[in-house]
Amino acid sequence: MIKNTLLPVAEFCQRRRDFIAQMPENSIALISAGKEVTRSNDTEYPFCQHKHFYYLTGFNEPDAMLVLINTDKLNAAQSILFSREKDALQEIWHGRRVGQAKAIDDYQVDDCFSLAEIDQQLLPLMSGKSAVLICQPELAEFQQQVLDWLNKVRKAARSGIKAPNSLIDCSDILDEMRLHKSPAELDIMRQVNVISGAAHQRAMQATKTGKFEYQIEAELLHEFAIHGARYPAYGSIVAGGDNANILHYTDNDDTLNDGDLLLIDAGGELAGYAADITRTFPVNGQFSEPQALIYQLVLDSQNLAINAIKPLQTFAQLNHIVCDFLTQGLYDLGVLQGDITELLAKKACKKYFIHGLGHWLGLDVHDVGDYHSNQQREQLRPFAAGMVMTIEPGIYIPLSDHSVDEKWRGIGVRIEDNILVTTNGFENLTINAAKSIADIEQMMSQ
Ligand code: GLY
Ligand code: MN
Ligand code: MN
Protein backbone atom coordinates (compact mmCIF):
# COMPACT_ATOMS: atom_id res chain seq x y z
CA MET A 1 0.00 0.00 0.00
CA ILE A 2 1.31 3.49 -0.82
CA LYS A 3 0.43 6.64 1.14
CA ASN A 4 -2.55 8.46 -0.46
CA THR A 5 -3.77 5.38 -2.33
CA LEU A 6 -5.97 2.50 -1.32
CA LEU A 7 -4.35 0.31 -3.93
CA PRO A 8 -1.38 -1.98 -3.29
CA VAL A 9 1.87 -0.97 -4.96
CA ALA A 10 1.81 -4.29 -6.85
CA GLU A 11 -1.19 -3.01 -8.85
CA PHE A 12 0.76 0.02 -10.10
CA CYS A 13 3.73 -2.21 -10.99
CA GLN A 14 1.44 -4.53 -12.95
CA ARG A 15 -0.06 -1.56 -14.84
CA ARG A 16 3.43 -0.44 -15.86
CA ARG A 17 4.29 -3.95 -17.04
CA ASP A 18 1.03 -4.16 -19.01
CA PHE A 19 1.68 -0.78 -20.60
CA ILE A 20 5.29 -1.61 -21.51
CA ALA A 21 4.11 -4.86 -23.10
CA GLN A 22 1.95 -2.81 -25.48
CA MET A 23 4.68 -0.28 -26.40
CA PRO A 24 6.38 -0.69 -29.78
CA GLU A 25 9.67 -2.60 -29.63
CA ASN A 26 12.65 -0.57 -28.44
CA SER A 27 10.63 2.55 -27.60
CA ILE A 28 10.61 4.95 -24.65
CA ALA A 29 7.54 6.62 -23.12
CA LEU A 30 7.62 9.90 -21.19
CA ILE A 31 4.70 10.66 -18.86
CA SER A 32 4.53 13.95 -16.98
CA ALA A 33 3.17 14.54 -13.47
CA GLY A 34 0.72 17.39 -12.90
CA LYS A 35 1.74 20.91 -11.99
CA GLU A 36 0.60 23.04 -9.10
CA VAL A 37 -1.80 25.78 -10.20
CA THR A 38 -1.72 29.24 -8.65
CA ARG A 39 -4.93 30.28 -6.95
CA SER A 40 -3.79 33.74 -5.89
CA ASN A 41 -0.39 35.32 -5.43
CA ASP A 42 1.67 32.60 -3.73
CA THR A 43 -1.08 30.14 -2.81
CA GLU A 44 -2.09 27.18 -4.93
CA TYR A 45 -5.23 25.16 -5.55
CA PRO A 46 -5.18 21.76 -3.84
CA PHE A 47 -2.87 19.65 -6.00
CA CYS A 48 -4.52 17.17 -8.36
CA GLN A 49 -2.15 14.66 -9.94
CA HIS A 50 -2.35 14.03 -13.69
CA LYS A 51 -4.54 10.95 -13.89
CA HIS A 52 -2.44 9.03 -16.44
CA PHE A 53 0.66 9.62 -14.33
CA TYR A 54 -1.21 8.64 -11.17
CA TYR A 55 -2.57 5.48 -12.80
CA LEU A 56 0.95 4.29 -13.58
CA THR A 57 2.69 5.33 -10.36
CA GLY A 58 0.38 6.25 -7.45
CA PHE A 59 2.98 9.02 -6.89
CA ASN A 60 1.29 12.17 -5.74
CA GLU A 61 3.89 14.94 -6.10
CA PRO A 62 3.98 17.62 -8.80
CA ASP A 63 7.08 18.21 -10.95
CA ALA A 64 7.91 14.59 -11.71
CA MET A 65 8.17 12.42 -14.82
CA LEU A 66 7.87 8.69 -15.40
CA VAL A 67 9.98 7.03 -18.06
CA LEU A 68 8.98 3.59 -19.32
CA ILE A 69 11.22 1.61 -21.62
CA ASN A 70 10.44 -1.32 -23.87
CA THR A 71 13.74 -3.09 -24.36
CA ASP A 72 14.97 -6.63 -24.76
CA LYS A 73 18.28 -5.80 -23.01
CA LEU A 74 18.63 -8.12 -20.03
CA ASN A 75 18.39 -6.41 -16.63
CA ALA A 76 17.89 -2.94 -18.14
CA ALA A 77 15.75 -0.52 -16.12
CA GLN A 78 12.21 -0.31 -17.49
CA SER A 79 10.55 2.10 -15.02
CA ILE A 80 12.42 5.22 -14.06
CA LEU A 81 11.05 8.12 -12.04
CA PHE A 82 12.36 11.66 -11.96
CA SER A 83 11.19 13.64 -8.93
CA ARG A 84 11.90 16.59 -6.65
CA GLU A 85 14.96 16.39 -4.44
CA LYS A 86 14.73 16.32 -0.68
CA ASP A 87 15.13 19.92 0.53
CA ALA A 88 14.98 20.65 4.26
CA LEU A 89 13.96 24.30 3.89
CA GLN A 90 11.29 23.68 1.24
CA GLU A 91 9.90 20.80 3.28
CA ILE A 92 9.61 22.95 6.43
CA TRP A 93 7.62 25.52 4.46
CA HIS A 94 5.64 23.43 2.00
CA GLY A 95 5.52 19.81 3.11
CA ARG A 96 7.41 16.56 2.90
CA ARG A 97 8.93 15.22 -0.29
CA VAL A 98 9.43 11.53 -0.95
CA GLY A 99 12.89 11.96 -2.47
CA GLN A 100 14.66 9.45 -4.66
CA ALA A 101 15.72 6.64 -2.31
CA LYS A 102 12.29 6.25 -0.72
CA ALA A 103 10.58 6.47 -4.13
CA ILE A 104 12.47 3.39 -5.30
CA ASP A 105 11.36 1.48 -2.17
CA ASP A 106 7.79 2.71 -1.89
CA TYR A 107 6.81 2.90 -5.56
CA GLN A 108 9.01 0.02 -6.72
CA VAL A 109 10.40 1.77 -9.76
CA ASP A 110 13.71 0.43 -11.05
CA ASP A 111 15.43 3.76 -10.56
CA CYS A 112 14.70 7.30 -9.45
CA PHE A 113 16.70 10.46 -10.16
CA SER A 114 16.28 14.09 -9.21
CA LEU A 115 14.92 16.57 -11.73
CA ALA A 116 18.34 18.24 -11.84
CA GLU A 117 19.70 15.04 -13.41
CA ILE A 118 17.18 14.77 -16.24
CA ASP A 119 19.38 15.74 -19.18
CA GLN A 120 22.28 13.65 -17.96
CA GLN A 121 20.15 10.54 -17.39
CA LEU A 122 17.40 10.82 -19.95
CA LEU A 123 19.29 11.66 -23.15
CA PRO A 124 21.36 8.43 -23.10
CA LEU A 125 18.16 6.47 -22.46
CA MET A 126 16.51 8.09 -25.48
CA SER A 127 19.37 7.58 -27.89
CA GLY A 128 19.20 4.35 -29.86
CA LYS A 129 15.44 4.04 -29.34
CA SER A 130 13.19 3.74 -32.37
CA ALA A 131 10.36 5.95 -31.07
CA VAL A 132 9.44 8.32 -28.27
CA LEU A 133 5.90 7.88 -26.94
CA ILE A 134 3.80 10.47 -25.17
CA CYS A 135 0.27 9.99 -23.92
CA GLN A 136 -0.71 13.50 -22.78
CA PRO A 137 -1.31 15.38 -26.05
CA GLU A 138 -3.12 18.14 -24.14
CA LEU A 139 0.10 19.17 -22.35
CA ALA A 140 1.58 21.52 -24.98
CA GLU A 141 4.44 22.73 -22.80
CA PHE A 142 5.48 19.17 -21.95
CA GLN A 143 5.36 18.18 -25.62
CA GLN A 144 7.68 21.08 -26.44
CA GLN A 145 10.03 19.88 -23.71
CA VAL A 146 10.02 16.38 -25.21
CA LEU A 147 10.80 17.82 -28.65
CA ASP A 148 13.69 19.79 -27.15
CA TRP A 149 15.12 16.59 -25.62
CA LEU A 150 14.63 14.79 -28.92
CA ASN A 151 16.52 17.53 -30.77
CA LYS A 152 19.36 17.34 -28.28
CA VAL A 153 19.59 13.59 -28.84
CA ARG A 154 19.53 14.09 -32.60
CA LYS A 155 22.33 16.63 -32.43
CA ALA A 156 24.43 14.39 -30.22
CA ALA A 157 23.81 11.26 -32.27
CA ARG A 158 27.14 9.76 -33.23
CA SER A 159 27.61 7.34 -36.04
CA GLY A 160 26.15 4.03 -35.08
CA ILE A 161 23.82 5.49 -32.44
CA LYS A 162 20.53 6.57 -33.87
CA ALA A 163 18.09 9.08 -32.46
CA PRO A 164 14.40 8.11 -32.30
CA ASN A 165 12.79 9.05 -35.60
CA SER A 166 9.21 9.29 -34.44
CA LEU A 167 7.17 10.86 -31.70
CA ILE A 168 3.97 8.87 -31.19
CA ASP A 169 0.82 9.68 -29.21
CA CYS A 170 0.01 6.46 -27.37
CA SER A 171 -2.80 7.80 -25.17
CA ASP A 172 -5.17 5.21 -26.66
CA ILE A 173 -3.22 2.43 -24.87
CA LEU A 174 -3.69 4.05 -21.47
CA ASP A 175 -7.27 5.12 -22.19
CA GLU A 176 -8.16 1.53 -22.96
CA MET A 177 -6.39 0.17 -19.88
CA ARG A 178 -8.17 2.68 -17.63
CA LEU A 179 -11.57 1.83 -19.09
CA HIS A 180 -11.40 -1.71 -17.63
CA LYS A 181 -11.46 -1.53 -13.84
CA SER A 182 -9.74 -4.09 -11.61
CA PRO A 183 -11.39 -5.59 -8.51
CA ALA A 184 -9.30 -3.27 -6.28
CA GLU A 185 -10.38 -0.20 -8.27
CA LEU A 186 -14.01 -1.29 -8.06
CA ASP A 187 -13.75 -1.57 -4.27
CA ILE A 188 -12.67 2.07 -4.14
CA MET A 189 -15.43 3.10 -6.53
CA ARG A 190 -17.99 1.34 -4.34
CA GLN A 191 -16.63 3.16 -1.29
CA VAL A 192 -16.67 6.60 -2.88
CA ASN A 193 -20.21 5.98 -4.06
CA VAL A 194 -21.35 5.12 -0.54
CA ILE A 195 -19.64 8.25 0.83
CA SER A 196 -21.18 10.40 -1.88
CA GLY A 197 -24.61 8.82 -1.48
CA ALA A 198 -24.46 9.61 2.25
CA ALA A 199 -23.61 13.21 1.34
CA HIS A 200 -26.73 13.42 -0.85
CA GLN A 201 -28.82 12.03 2.02
CA ARG A 202 -27.31 14.61 4.38
CA ALA A 203 -28.05 17.36 1.85
CA MET A 204 -31.69 16.27 1.56
CA GLN A 205 -32.10 16.35 5.32
CA ALA A 206 -30.41 19.75 5.65
CA THR A 207 -32.49 21.42 2.92
CA LYS A 208 -35.03 24.00 4.13
CA THR A 209 -36.82 26.89 2.47
CA GLY A 210 -34.81 30.10 2.85
CA LYS A 211 -31.39 28.47 3.12
CA PHE A 212 -28.71 29.29 0.54
CA GLU A 213 -27.51 26.79 -2.04
CA TYR A 214 -23.95 27.14 -0.68
CA GLN A 215 -25.12 26.02 2.75
CA ILE A 216 -26.25 22.74 1.23
CA GLU A 217 -22.95 22.53 -0.68
CA ALA A 218 -21.16 22.83 2.69
CA GLU A 219 -23.09 19.78 3.97
CA LEU A 220 -21.90 17.76 0.96
CA LEU A 221 -18.27 18.79 1.38
CA HIS A 222 -18.40 17.99 5.08
CA GLU A 223 -19.74 14.49 4.50
CA PHE A 224 -17.18 13.78 1.74
CA ALA A 225 -14.26 14.97 3.85
CA ILE A 226 -15.05 13.25 7.15
CA HIS A 227 -15.05 9.93 5.31
CA GLY A 228 -11.70 10.51 3.63
CA ALA A 229 -12.88 11.88 0.28
CA ARG A 230 -11.21 15.21 1.08
CA TYR A 231 -12.17 16.91 -2.17
CA PRO A 232 -15.13 16.78 -4.52
CA ALA A 233 -14.38 15.08 -7.84
CA TYR A 234 -15.73 18.19 -9.65
CA GLY A 235 -17.41 21.46 -8.73
CA SER A 236 -20.64 20.56 -6.91
CA ILE A 237 -23.82 21.70 -8.66
CA VAL A 238 -26.42 22.84 -6.11
CA ALA A 239 -29.15 24.35 -8.24
CA GLY A 240 -32.51 25.47 -6.86
CA GLY A 241 -35.53 26.08 -9.12
CA ASP A 242 -34.72 27.41 -12.59
CA ASN A 243 -30.96 27.21 -11.86
CA ALA A 244 -31.26 23.47 -12.51
CA ASN A 245 -31.78 24.36 -16.16
CA ILE A 246 -28.18 25.62 -16.33
CA LEU A 247 -26.36 22.31 -16.81
CA HIS A 248 -23.01 23.28 -15.28
CA TYR A 249 -24.38 25.72 -12.67
CA THR A 250 -21.81 26.12 -9.88
CA ASP A 251 -22.55 29.64 -8.55
CA ASN A 252 -24.50 27.99 -5.71
CA ASP A 253 -25.36 31.37 -4.21
CA ASP A 254 -29.16 31.63 -4.53
CA THR A 255 -31.77 31.16 -1.84
CA LEU A 256 -33.91 28.02 -1.87
CA ASN A 257 -37.58 28.77 -2.45
CA ASP A 258 -40.69 27.01 -1.19
CA GLY A 259 -42.28 25.05 -4.05
CA ASP A 260 -39.05 24.73 -6.08
CA LEU A 261 -36.99 21.64 -6.80
CA LEU A 262 -33.32 21.41 -5.86
CA LEU A 263 -30.96 19.57 -8.22
CA ILE A 264 -27.67 18.41 -6.70
CA ASP A 265 -24.95 16.89 -8.89
CA ALA A 266 -22.01 16.09 -6.64
CA GLY A 267 -19.53 13.33 -5.90
CA GLY A 268 -16.43 12.92 -3.80
CA GLU A 269 -13.01 11.74 -4.93
CA LEU A 270 -11.37 8.89 -3.03
CA ALA A 271 -7.81 7.74 -3.76
CA GLY A 272 -8.16 9.53 -7.09
CA TYR A 273 -11.47 7.87 -8.10
CA ALA A 274 -14.64 9.90 -8.73
CA ALA A 275 -18.28 9.39 -7.90
CA ASP A 276 -20.78 11.35 -10.02
CA ILE A 277 -24.28 11.32 -8.53
CA THR A 278 -27.31 13.54 -9.16
CA ARG A 279 -30.47 13.75 -7.12
CA THR A 280 -33.40 16.15 -7.54
CA PHE A 281 -35.89 16.75 -4.73
CA PRO A 282 -38.37 19.35 -3.50
CA VAL A 283 -37.04 22.12 -1.25
CA ASN A 284 -40.06 21.82 1.04
CA GLY A 285 -39.98 18.01 1.11
CA GLN A 286 -43.14 17.41 -0.98
CA PHE A 287 -43.26 17.11 -4.78
CA SER A 288 -46.00 19.13 -6.45
CA GLU A 289 -48.06 17.19 -8.98
CA PRO A 290 -46.31 18.52 -12.10
CA GLN A 291 -42.89 18.02 -10.46
CA ALA A 292 -43.81 14.44 -9.51
CA LEU A 293 -44.96 13.66 -13.06
CA ILE A 294 -41.73 14.88 -14.66
CA TYR A 295 -39.62 13.29 -11.92
CA GLN A 296 -41.29 9.89 -12.29
CA LEU A 297 -40.84 10.01 -16.06
CA VAL A 298 -37.11 10.67 -15.70
CA LEU A 299 -36.78 7.98 -13.02
CA ASP A 300 -38.61 5.40 -15.12
CA SER A 301 -36.39 6.20 -18.10
CA GLN A 302 -33.30 5.78 -15.93
CA ASN A 303 -34.48 2.40 -14.65
CA LEU A 304 -35.22 1.30 -18.20
CA ALA A 305 -31.66 2.14 -19.25
CA ILE A 306 -29.98 0.65 -16.17
CA ASN A 307 -31.92 -2.61 -16.42
CA ALA A 308 -30.79 -2.99 -20.04
CA ILE A 309 -27.08 -2.83 -19.14
CA LYS A 310 -25.08 -5.99 -19.79
CA PRO A 311 -22.05 -7.04 -21.80
CA LEU A 312 -22.33 -6.19 -25.54
CA GLN A 313 -25.00 -3.51 -24.87
CA THR A 314 -24.12 -0.05 -26.30
CA PHE A 315 -24.73 3.57 -25.30
CA ALA A 316 -26.34 3.99 -28.74
CA GLN A 317 -28.98 1.40 -27.94
CA LEU A 318 -29.60 2.78 -24.43
CA ASN A 319 -29.97 6.28 -25.87
CA HIS A 320 -32.48 4.95 -28.35
CA ILE A 321 -34.54 3.26 -25.61
CA VAL A 322 -34.49 6.36 -23.38
CA CYS A 323 -35.24 8.80 -26.20
CA ASP A 324 -38.31 6.86 -27.32
CA PHE A 325 -39.53 6.55 -23.75
CA LEU A 326 -39.08 10.23 -22.87
CA THR A 327 -40.61 11.41 -26.13
CA GLN A 328 -43.69 9.25 -25.59
CA GLY A 329 -43.89 10.34 -21.93
CA LEU A 330 -43.58 14.06 -22.68
CA TYR A 331 -46.24 13.66 -25.38
CA ASP A 332 -48.59 11.89 -22.94
CA LEU A 333 -48.13 14.76 -20.46
CA GLY A 334 -48.82 17.34 -23.18
CA VAL A 335 -45.37 18.90 -22.94
CA LEU A 336 -44.66 17.79 -26.52
CA GLN A 337 -47.45 18.25 -29.02
CA GLY A 338 -47.98 17.08 -32.59
CA ASP A 339 -47.94 13.79 -34.41
CA ILE A 340 -46.42 11.13 -32.13
CA THR A 341 -44.91 9.14 -35.02
CA GLU A 342 -43.12 12.27 -36.22
CA LEU A 343 -42.10 13.23 -32.70
CA LEU A 344 -40.56 9.79 -32.16
CA ALA A 345 -38.83 9.84 -35.54
CA LYS A 346 -37.18 13.19 -34.85
CA LYS A 347 -36.31 12.34 -31.23
CA ALA A 348 -38.35 15.30 -30.02
CA CYS A 349 -37.41 14.74 -26.36
CA LYS A 350 -34.02 16.21 -27.23
CA LYS A 351 -35.60 19.66 -26.86
CA TYR A 352 -35.76 18.93 -23.12
CA PHE A 353 -33.17 16.15 -22.68
CA ILE A 354 -30.26 18.23 -23.83
CA HIS A 355 -27.20 16.16 -22.92
CA GLY A 356 -25.92 12.63 -23.38
CA LEU A 357 -27.27 9.70 -21.39
CA GLY A 358 -23.98 8.94 -19.66
CA HIS A 359 -20.22 8.62 -19.80
CA TRP A 360 -17.36 6.45 -18.56
CA LEU A 361 -16.38 7.04 -14.94
CA GLY A 362 -13.13 6.38 -13.10
CA LEU A 363 -10.09 8.45 -12.17
CA ASP A 364 -11.57 11.29 -14.25
CA VAL A 365 -15.23 12.10 -13.79
CA HIS A 366 -15.61 12.11 -17.57
CA ASP A 367 -13.24 9.21 -17.82
CA VAL A 368 -11.04 8.24 -20.74
CA GLY A 369 -11.97 5.38 -23.05
CA ASP A 370 -13.19 5.16 -26.61
CA TYR A 371 -16.94 5.35 -27.22
CA HIS A 372 -16.51 4.19 -30.87
CA SER A 373 -18.67 7.08 -31.97
CA ASN A 374 -19.42 7.29 -35.67
CA GLN A 375 -20.18 10.37 -37.76
CA GLN A 376 -23.75 10.40 -36.48
CA ARG A 377 -22.20 10.60 -32.99
CA GLU A 378 -23.65 7.20 -32.13
CA GLN A 379 -21.75 5.40 -29.41
CA LEU A 380 -21.39 1.84 -30.62
CA ARG A 381 -18.73 0.56 -28.21
CA PRO A 382 -19.96 -2.79 -26.82
CA PHE A 383 -19.96 -2.84 -23.03
CA ALA A 384 -17.79 -5.40 -21.21
CA ALA A 385 -17.64 -6.53 -17.60
CA GLY A 386 -15.47 -4.16 -15.56
CA MET A 387 -16.50 -0.93 -17.31
CA VAL A 388 -18.14 1.76 -15.15
CA MET A 389 -20.47 4.42 -16.52
CA THR A 390 -23.00 6.98 -15.40
CA ILE A 391 -26.64 6.81 -16.44
CA GLU A 392 -28.11 10.30 -16.11
CA PRO A 393 -31.27 11.16 -18.02
CA GLY A 394 -32.76 14.60 -17.42
CA ILE A 395 -35.61 16.88 -18.43
CA TYR A 396 -35.05 20.64 -18.37
CA ILE A 397 -37.92 23.07 -18.91
CA PRO A 398 -36.67 26.64 -18.35
CA LEU A 399 -38.95 29.33 -16.91
CA SER A 400 -38.53 31.16 -20.22
CA ASP A 401 -40.13 28.31 -22.25
CA HIS A 402 -43.53 29.74 -23.23
CA SER A 403 -44.28 26.85 -25.58
CA VAL A 404 -45.48 24.74 -22.63
CA ASP A 405 -48.16 25.16 -20.00
CA GLU A 406 -47.05 27.40 -17.12
CA LYS A 407 -47.17 24.54 -14.61
CA TRP A 408 -44.15 22.85 -16.22
CA ARG A 409 -41.92 25.92 -16.37
CA GLY A 410 -38.87 26.08 -14.12
CA ILE A 411 -38.75 22.31 -13.61
CA GLY A 412 -35.28 20.79 -14.10
CA VAL A 413 -34.75 17.15 -13.16
CA ARG A 414 -31.68 14.95 -13.54
CA ILE A 415 -31.12 11.59 -11.84
CA GLU A 416 -27.64 10.06 -12.08
CA ASP A 417 -26.27 6.75 -10.82
CA ASN A 418 -22.93 5.00 -11.35
CA ILE A 419 -23.20 1.57 -12.93
CA LEU A 420 -20.70 -1.28 -13.26
CA VAL A 421 -21.09 -3.77 -16.10
CA THR A 422 -20.84 -7.32 -14.72
CA THR A 423 -20.61 -10.65 -16.54
CA ASN A 424 -24.35 -11.21 -16.02
CA GLY A 425 -25.68 -7.67 -16.27
CA PHE A 426 -24.94 -4.71 -14.03
CA GLU A 427 -24.27 -3.59 -10.47
CA ASN A 428 -25.59 -0.19 -9.39
CA LEU A 429 -22.81 1.34 -7.25
CA THR A 430 -25.12 4.14 -6.10
CA ILE A 431 -26.95 2.27 -3.37
CA ASN A 432 -27.73 4.67 -0.55
CA ALA A 433 -29.02 7.97 -1.98
CA ALA A 434 -32.83 8.08 -1.82
CA LYS A 435 -34.34 8.08 -5.30
CA SER A 436 -38.02 7.08 -5.39
CA ILE A 437 -40.55 9.82 -4.65
CA ALA A 438 -41.70 7.93 -1.55
CA ASP A 439 -38.15 7.45 -0.21
CA ILE A 440 -37.21 11.10 -0.84
CA GLU A 441 -40.34 12.44 0.86
CA GLN A 442 -39.80 10.06 3.77
CA MET A 443 -36.11 11.03 4.09
CA MET A 444 -36.96 14.72 4.08
CA SER A 445 -39.68 14.38 6.67
CA GLN A 446 -37.19 13.05 9.27
N1 GLY B 1 -21.17 16.00 -13.06
C1 GLY B 1 -20.92 16.06 -14.44
C2 GLY B 1 -21.73 15.08 -15.18
O1 GLY B 1 -22.72 14.59 -14.68
O2 GLY B 1 -21.39 14.69 -16.26
MN1 MN C 1 -22.13 12.54 -15.15
MN1 MN D 1 -23.00 14.50 -12.63
Side-chain angles (χ1 to χ4, degrees), residues 234 237 264-267 275-278 359 365-366 390 392 414 416 418:
Y234 52 93
I237 296 169
I264 296 182
D265 182 345
D276 182 10
I277 301 174
T278 307
H359 52 83
V365 63
H366 295 154
T390 68
E392 48 180 306
R414 175 164 68 258
E416 176 173 28
N418 302 167

Short mmCIF file of all heavy atoms in Angstrom, two decimals, residues 234 237 264-267 275-278 359 365-366 390 392 414 416 418, ligand 3:
data_model
loop_
_atom_site.label_atom_id
_atom_site.label_comp_id
_atom_site.label_asym_id
_atom_site.label_seq_id
_atom_site.Cartn_x
_atom_site.Cartn_y
_atom_site.Cartn_z
N TYR A 234 -15.47 17.09 -8.70
CA TYR A 234 -15.73 18.19 -9.65
C TYR A 234 -16.54 19.22 -8.87
O TYR A 234 -17.00 18.94 -7.75
CB TYR A 234 -16.51 17.69 -10.88
CG TYR A 234 -17.76 16.92 -10.52
CD1 TYR A 234 -19.00 17.56 -10.43
CD2 TYR A 234 -17.71 15.56 -10.23
CE1 TYR A 234 -20.15 16.86 -10.07
CE2 TYR A 234 -18.85 14.86 -9.85
CZ TYR A 234 -20.05 15.51 -9.78
OH TYR A 234 -21.18 14.81 -9.40
N ILE A 237 -22.71 20.92 -8.09
CA ILE A 237 -23.82 21.70 -8.66
C ILE A 237 -24.96 21.64 -7.65
O ILE A 237 -25.48 20.55 -7.37
CB ILE A 237 -24.25 21.11 -10.01
CG1 ILE A 237 -23.11 21.21 -11.03
CG2 ILE A 237 -25.53 21.80 -10.52
CD1 ILE A 237 -23.34 20.43 -12.31
N ILE A 264 -29.06 18.49 -7.18
CA ILE A 264 -27.67 18.41 -6.70
C ILE A 264 -26.92 17.36 -7.51
O ILE A 264 -27.33 16.20 -7.55
CB ILE A 264 -27.61 18.03 -5.20
CG1 ILE A 264 -28.27 19.13 -4.36
CG2 ILE A 264 -26.16 17.81 -4.77
CD1 ILE A 264 -28.22 18.86 -2.86
N ASP A 265 -25.84 17.80 -8.15
CA ASP A 265 -24.95 16.89 -8.89
C ASP A 265 -23.60 17.00 -8.21
O ASP A 265 -22.91 18.02 -8.35
CB ASP A 265 -24.89 17.33 -10.36
CG ASP A 265 -24.03 16.41 -11.22
OD1 ASP A 265 -23.26 15.60 -10.66
OD2 ASP A 265 -24.14 16.51 -12.46
N ALA A 266 -23.23 15.99 -7.43
CA ALA A 266 -22.01 16.09 -6.64
C ALA A 266 -21.48 14.70 -6.32
O ALA A 266 -22.24 13.76 -6.10
CB ALA A 266 -22.28 16.83 -5.33
N GLY A 267 -20.16 14.59 -6.28
CA GLY A 267 -19.53 13.33 -5.90
C GLY A 267 -18.16 13.60 -5.32
O GLY A 267 -17.49 14.56 -5.70
N ALA A 275 -16.86 9.75 -7.81
CA ALA A 275 -18.28 9.39 -7.90
C ALA A 275 -18.97 10.56 -8.61
O ALA A 275 -18.49 11.70 -8.56
CB ALA A 275 -18.88 9.18 -6.53
N ASP A 276 -20.08 10.31 -9.26
CA ASP A 276 -20.78 11.35 -10.02
C ASP A 276 -22.28 11.07 -9.90
O ASP A 276 -22.84 10.32 -10.70
CB ASP A 276 -20.30 11.31 -11.48
CG ASP A 276 -20.95 12.39 -12.34
OD1 ASP A 276 -21.63 13.28 -11.77
OD2 ASP A 276 -20.78 12.35 -13.57
N ILE A 277 -22.90 11.66 -8.88
CA ILE A 277 -24.28 11.32 -8.53
C ILE A 277 -25.16 12.57 -8.60
O ILE A 277 -24.75 13.64 -8.13
CB ILE A 277 -24.35 10.75 -7.09
CG1 ILE A 277 -23.47 9.49 -6.98
CG2 ILE A 277 -25.78 10.45 -6.67
CD1 ILE A 277 -23.36 8.93 -5.56
N THR A 278 -26.35 12.43 -9.17
CA THR A 278 -27.31 13.54 -9.16
C THR A 278 -28.62 13.09 -8.53
O THR A 278 -29.14 12.01 -8.83
CB THR A 278 -27.59 14.04 -10.59
OG1 THR A 278 -26.36 14.34 -11.23
CG2 THR A 278 -28.45 15.31 -10.57
N HIS A 359 -21.63 8.58 -19.40
CA HIS A 359 -20.22 8.62 -19.80
C HIS A 359 -19.44 7.65 -18.93
O HIS A 359 -19.90 7.24 -17.87
CB HIS A 359 -19.67 10.05 -19.65
CG HIS A 359 -19.93 10.66 -18.30
ND1 HIS A 359 -19.12 10.42 -17.22
CD2 HIS A 359 -20.93 11.47 -17.84
CE1 HIS A 359 -19.60 11.08 -16.16
NE2 HIS A 359 -20.71 11.72 -16.50
N VAL A 365 -13.77 12.22 -13.85
CA VAL A 365 -15.23 12.10 -13.79
C VAL A 365 -15.80 11.81 -15.18
O VAL A 365 -16.67 10.94 -15.33
CB VAL A 365 -15.88 13.31 -13.09
CG1 VAL A 365 -15.65 14.60 -13.85
CG2 VAL A 365 -17.37 13.07 -12.91
N HIS A 366 -15.32 12.51 -16.18
CA HIS A 366 -15.61 12.11 -17.57
C HIS A 366 -14.39 11.31 -17.98
O HIS A 366 -13.42 11.86 -18.48
CB HIS A 366 -15.83 13.33 -18.47
CG HIS A 366 -17.05 14.11 -18.08
ND1 HIS A 366 -17.21 15.45 -18.33
CD2 HIS A 366 -18.18 13.74 -17.43
CE1 HIS A 366 -18.38 15.86 -17.85
NE2 HIS A 366 -18.98 14.84 -17.31
N THR A 390 -21.84 6.33 -16.03
CA THR A 390 -23.00 6.98 -15.40
C THR A 390 -24.21 6.78 -16.30
O THR A 390 -24.07 6.65 -17.53
CB THR A 390 -22.79 8.50 -15.22
OG1 THR A 390 -22.77 9.11 -16.52
CG2 THR A 390 -21.50 8.80 -14.48
N GLU A 392 -27.62 9.03 -16.65
CA GLU A 392 -28.11 10.30 -16.11
C GLU A 392 -29.10 11.03 -17.03
O GLU A 392 -28.81 12.10 -17.53
CB GLU A 392 -26.94 11.22 -15.81
CG GLU A 392 -25.90 11.35 -16.93
CD GLU A 392 -24.76 12.29 -16.54
OE1 GLU A 392 -25.04 13.42 -16.15
OE2 GLU A 392 -23.59 11.88 -16.66
N ARG A 414 -32.65 15.94 -13.06
CA ARG A 414 -31.68 14.95 -13.54
C ARG A 414 -31.51 13.92 -12.42
O ARG A 414 -31.53 14.28 -11.24
CB ARG A 414 -30.33 15.59 -13.89
CG ARG A 414 -29.26 14.59 -14.27
CD ARG A 414 -28.04 15.20 -15.00
NE ARG A 414 -27.21 16.07 -14.17
CZ ARG A 414 -27.23 17.38 -14.21
NH1 ARG A 414 -28.05 18.03 -15.02
NH2 ARG A 414 -26.44 18.09 -13.43
N GLU A 416 -28.90 10.64 -11.57
CA GLU A 416 -27.64 10.06 -12.08
C GLU A 416 -27.09 9.04 -11.10
O GLU A 416 -26.86 9.35 -9.93
CB GLU A 416 -26.62 11.18 -12.28
CG GLU A 416 -25.25 10.70 -12.73
CD GLU A 416 -24.30 11.84 -13.08
OE1 GLU A 416 -24.46 12.94 -12.51
OE2 GLU A 416 -23.41 11.62 -13.91
N ASN A 418 -24.19 5.52 -10.82
CA ASN A 418 -22.93 5.00 -11.35
C ASN A 418 -23.05 3.48 -11.45
O ASN A 418 -23.31 2.80 -10.45
CB ASN A 418 -21.77 5.39 -10.43
CG ASN A 418 -21.66 6.90 -10.25
OD1 ASN A 418 -20.95 7.35 -9.38
ND2 ASN A 418 -22.35 7.70 -11.05
MN MN B 3 -23.00 14.50 -12.63
#
